[in-house]
Amino acid sequence: MSLCFRYGIIKGWIKNIGMETRKLGRYLALAIAAMALIYGWFALVGITDLGNFNHGIRNVLIGVVLVFLSECLTGRSLLHPSWRPGLLIFYFWLGAFSYIGARSGGTWGIRVEVLNDDVLTLIPVLVLTFLLEYIGSLKRLLRPVLSLFNFLLIGYFSLGAFVYITYYKIFDAGFTHDAMISVLLTNFNETKEFLLSHLGAAALVGVLGLFILYMILTAVLIYKGNREDKGNSIHSLKMIGIGILVIAALVPLARGIPRTFPSWSYRVAHKYIMGSKAAMKKHDENLKDFHFVGETPKMLNGSVIVVIGESAAEDHMKAFNPSYPAETTPWLSKEEANPDFFLFDKTYTSFPLTEKALAYYLTNINQYNGRNRNESISLTDVANQIGYPTYFISNQSPAPGNIALELTTSVSKKVYFTRRPGSDDGKVLDELKKIPDGEKAFIVIHLEGSHDRYKDRVPPDFTGIQVDGHSEKVNDYDSSILYTDDVLKRIYDYGKDHLNMQAMVYASDHGEDMEYFHGDGKFTWEMARIPLFVYLSDSYQKEYPETAKELALHKDDIFTNDLMYDLVCGILRAPNTGYDAKYDPTSPEFSFTKDQATTRYGEIRIVDDPQLR
């Protein structure tokens, strides 16, 4: 009897051990499967170097261990509902970011190292949300607080993923730090127009609706995952273990959030903008070191106007691209035969992003001279030193943090913004008329040009362009180019009639691609090719015939808009410490070649443009 009793106890122990072993084996298998699933997806989309220990195998092991220990301590396998909220964001985030990263990599594949911070952040999110769900199911009073925390945590990452996916849908590229700079420098109206233009009202509502449904699903999963569990309890030893795991998840999560999107992009962009503001403070010191080469140049006999275009693509401008099927530049096409006009048909942007392009366009910094932002001198500074009354007129909303624009506006004697920035560019004429007639002024005009949405750039009563076979978007864009041509004509006419205009220079900040628009994501040459023309009055050419001669000689040469400082200084007859004659097409010393020319801040060589003539 005693022997049978002992045999029964031993048999029970063995059975329990067997059951526990099978349970532990199941837990381990599920933990391995969870990590294998996401890393299998990585391999499928083209993530490489998965066998690397530091960024591949090590992260898999961390994930397996944390998930396995969480299962063991709670007695809940990965199949339990309390894991589902965390699993949802874990796979959604890593699945989306790995796919977009691989697709944006340029050669269908990126190293797993790029996803290191994402993986080491989302594994703790997965474990932490589960543990809080588990605690909430046992502690009724804590349940609402823990549920809200999980909802907000998952909501933060979910919103980031939705934004990232939407940006990729628009630009076919991942959301970069430079894109974040643009976001931080963009006002609400521009953001609204951007979304309406690129997505459309229906798609935008659809995205918002999808996000709301997603968050409702998250709330349901959280509710079901932490339902009261009276059949379970937390013993003190188990509680200690769970507490250690919570801390083990919180520490890397606190480190990881600032290193993942959007926090990391925000930090980089914010640092850049703060650096720009520091450069502004350095500006006064730069002016102390600034001087002209030789005597201070005399003022010209009238005004000089520099017009900054926006998103104008040379490819869509008939005056620069005669084969284009629509006459988008009737005024400029007519003036092309005028000997007072010099059209440069091989001009490129330094960067297909407004803030970065203007940082070089308006200052003595370019891709080739090795200067940095702390050495900035603006064109308006030069004009001030000569003695011109200086004006800045803009139809774009103020953009705090845009160093070049801040530098230009801060030193201009008068700054005028149109009453409704972003609307009709013709309104800049109202501001131009505030300048006294006959004044020898230096004027910078910043147009809204062809900034999307294109149809909002054209007044309702303006007759636009309709070309059979072109999409509505292309026709809207071409109509904005046509309207810019009309605005330029009016600026030109007013400058001649009222301001004794001696010179007018027009160049765009960057171009525009009809599919990918512009930015720091996918690059196309349509984003890089831009218009540039110079007008010199008859009286100017009679006084300085060599300037006109050199412009005529070099108008067919390569030029990039980060050399505008040198070009305008040449027109002003004002060589200075920030000027270099080899970059100035008005100078006989101009020696800039196509082999030197680059875009995207030196990343891409202009000579590689397949359409370069």
Side-chain angles (χ1 to χ4, degrees):
M1 187 77 174
S2 176
L3 184 62
C4 289
F5 177 73
R6 291 177 181 176
Y7 174 74
I9 293 174
I10 293 172
K11 186 177 179 181
W13 285 350
I14 293 173
K15 183 178 180 181
N16 288 335
I17 291 172
M19 290 176 63
E20 290 299 319
T21 301
R22 287 193 295 274
K23 184 186 293 185
L24 293 176
R26 183 166 175 257
Y27 289 166
L28 182 60
L30 287 171
I32 293 173
M35 295 302 117
L37 182 61
I38 191 61
Y39 274 79
W41 170 256
F42 287 175
L44 181 65
V45 300
I47 307 298
T48 62
D49 204 25
L50 292 174
N52 179 291
F53 179 80
N54 288 330
H55 305 110
I57 296 173
R58 180 200 63 181
N59 292 349
V60 170
L61 293 176
I62 290 173
V64 169
V65 169
L66 286 177
V67 170
F68 177 66
L69 289 176
S70 298
E71 290 178 301
C72 292
L73 279 171
T74 62
R76 292 181 177 179
S77 77
L78 267 173
L79 301 179
H80 191 278
S82 50
W83 282 98
R84 291 171 189 168
L87 286 170
L88 176 65
I89 187 59
F90 179 78
Y91 287 119
F92 179 43
W93 178 280
L94 292 179
F97 277 72
S98 59
Y99 176 80
I100 293 172
R103 296 288 292 181
S104 303
T107 56
W108 188 254
I110 57 173
R111 291 165 59 89
V112 71
E113 180 180 356
V114 174
L115 295 168
N116 189 58
D117 288 320
D118 298 279
V119 173
L120 292 180
T121 302
L122 269 297
I123 288 174
V125 169
L126 169 63
V127 171
L128 180 64
T129 53
F130 162 70
L131 292 174
L132 297 185
E133 288 282 279
Y134 174 73
I135 295 171
S137 68
L138 303 179
K139 301 293 183 180
R140 184 176 180 180
L141 293 178
L142 292 177
R143 193 175 307 148
V145 176
L146 298 180
S147 296
L148 179 62
F149 180 89
N150 273 353
F151 183 80
L152 294 176
L153 180 64
I154 294 172
Y156 167 80
F157 283 99
S158 300
L159 180 60
F162 266 82
V163 169
Y164 205 86
I165 292 169
T166 303
Y167 185 88
Y168 172 73
K169 179 65 177 175
I170 295 171
F171 290 105
D172 196 31
F175 197 109
T176 63
H177 305 324
D178 291 305
M180 182 62 78
I181 291 172
S182 295
V183 169
L184 296 180
L185 296 178
T186 299
N187 58 61
F188 175 76
N189 286 334
E190 288 180 337
T191 301
K192 181 181 70 174
E193 287 184 357
F194 174 86
L195 292 173
L196 289 174
S197 172
H198 291 73
L199 288 177
L204 180 58
V205 170
V207 170
L208 293 175
L210 188 62
F211 178 72
I212 292 171
L213 289 175
Y214 174 93
M215 292 310 300
I216 291 173
L217 173 62
T218 299
V220 171
L221 292 178
I222 290 172
Y223 172 76
K224 290 185 176 181
N226 63 18
R227 283 179 179 173
E228 187 172 356
D229 188 355
K230 295 181 179 179
N232 205 338
S233 61
I234 302 181
H235 301 296
S236 56
L237 191 59
K238 183 189 290 188
M239 192 65 186
I240 292 172
I242 290 174
I244 292 173
L245 270 183
V246 168
I247 295 172
L250 278 173
V251 171
L253 181 59
R255 175 187 177 276
I257 287 178
R259 300 179 66 85
T260 54
F261 181 82
S263 297
W264 183 249
S265 294
Y266 174 84
R267 289 175 65 189
V268 172
H270 185 261
K271 182 178 180 180
Y272 176 88
I273 293 172
M274 291 301 102
S276 295
K277 291 183 177 179
M280 286 286 295
K281 293 180 180 179
K282 188 80 166 49
H283 173 251
D284 290 342
E285 297 177 27
N286 296 340
L287 275 182
K288 292 177 183 177
D289 297 329
F290 173 88
H291 61 267
F292 293 107
V293 178
E295 296 182 359
T296 300
K298 67 176 185 178
M299 293 170 61
L300 301 179
N301 292 325
S303 295
V304 174
I305 299 179
V306 176
V307 183
I308 306 169
E310 171 65 58
S311 304
E314 181 190 79
D315 292 12
H316 286 252
M317 304 178 76
K318 188 80 168 180
F320 296 94
N321 181 16
S323 64
Y324 196 67
E327 178 49 278
T328 55
T329 56
W331 169 71
L332 193 56
S333 295
K334 175 176 170 289
E335 297 293 354
E336 184 180 10
N338 185 338
D340 296 344
F341 279 76
F342 306 84
L343 274 64
F344 287 67
D345 63 353
K346 297 183 181 68
T347 305
Y348 296 80
T349 183
S350 64
F351 206 100
L353 194 67
T354 299
E355 197 278 336
K356 288 199 165 186
L358 293 187
Y360 286 9
Y361 185 122
L362 292 168
T363 70
N364 60 331
I365 306 169
N366 61 49
Q367 299 173 90
Y368 321 104
N369 61 19
R371 294 191 181 101
N372 60 52
R373 287 179 299 165
N374 289 333
E375 301 172 83
S376 293
I377 294 290
S378 75
L379 282 170
T380 304
D381 286 320
V382 177
N384 282 332
Q385 295 295 316
I386 296 173
Y388 289 96
T390 53
Y391 298 85
F392 181 81
I393 299 171
S394 179
N395 191 36
Q396 292 204 15
S397 297
N402 187 318
I403 178 62
L405 289 179
E406 282 194 28
L407 192 61
T408 300
T409 56
S410 67
V411 299
S412 296
K413 296 296 187 279
K414 289 286 183 68
V415 176
Y416 299 118
F417 288 94
T418 57
R419 293 187 63 184
R420 287 188 58 210
S423 58
D424 180 1
D425 270 336
K427 299 299 182 185
V428 300
L429 271 297
D430 296 335
E431 310 306 322
L432 191 60
K433 292 173 183 177
K434 295 178 181 178
I435 299 173
D437 277 15
E439 186 169 66
K440 298 178 180 180
F442 181 82
I443 306 158
V444 176
I445 300 176
H446 193 191
L447 301 180
E448 187 74 6
S450 298
H451 194 289
D452 55 280
R453 308 200 274 188
Y454 312 131
K455 64 182 180 181
D456 291 340
R457 307 285 79 84
V458 177
D461 58 350
F462 183 77
T463 302
I465 289 175
Q466 291 294 325
V467 175
D468 292 340
H470 282 186
S471 67
E472 181 182 0
K473 182 200 300 183
V474 173
N475 282 326
D476 286 343
Y477 179 79
D478 287 348
S479 296
S480 72
I481 294 291
L482 178 64
Y483 186 64
T484 296
D485 184 73
D486 179 68
V487 171
L488 290 171
K489 178 185 182 299
R490 284 188 274 164
I491 293 172
Y492 166 78
D493 288 340
Y494 187 85
K496 283 189 65 180
D497 295 341
H498 296 271
L499 299 171
N500 192 25
M501 185 171 67
Q502 296 297 293
M504 177 176 171
V505 182
Y506 166 78
S508 185
D509 55 355
H510 50 72
E512 189 85 340
D513 182 279
M514 292 296 95
E515 182 177 358
Y516 300 109
F517 306 95
H518 65 269
D520 189 44
K522 185 179 180 65
F523 173 82
T524 69
W525 286 104
E526 287 78 5
M527 301 175 186
R529 302 187 197 104
I530 60 171
L532 164 64
F533 76 76
V534 177
Y535 159 79
L536 298 178
S537 70
D538 288 338
S539 60
Y540 181 101
Q541 294 187 57
K542 286 176 182 177
E543 189 169 1
Y544 306 110
E546 65 277 17
T547 300
K549 176 185 175 183
E550 293 300 328
L551 276 176
L553 285 174
H554 299 303
K555 67 183 181 65
D556 295 324
D557 292 343
I558 299 289
F559 190 79
T560 53
N561 66 356
D562 50 336
L563 306 181
M564 290 290 287
Y565 180 93
D566 302 282
L567 168 60
V568 176
C569 284
I571 292 171
L572 294 173
R573 314 286 297 176
N576 56 75
T577 49
Y579 163 87
D580 197 328
K582 69 185 176 186
Y583 300 134
D584 174 17
T586 74
S587 169
E589 298 177 41
F590 181 71
S591 58
F592 187 64
T593 68
K594 64 181 181 180
D595 292 324
Q596 293 174 272
T598 59
T599 185
R600 281 182 65 109
Y601 281 9
E603 180 183 327
I604 297 173
R605 299 169 68 237
I606 299 300
V607 74
D608 293 331
D609 178 4
Q611 291 189 23
L612 183 62
R613 299 179 295 279

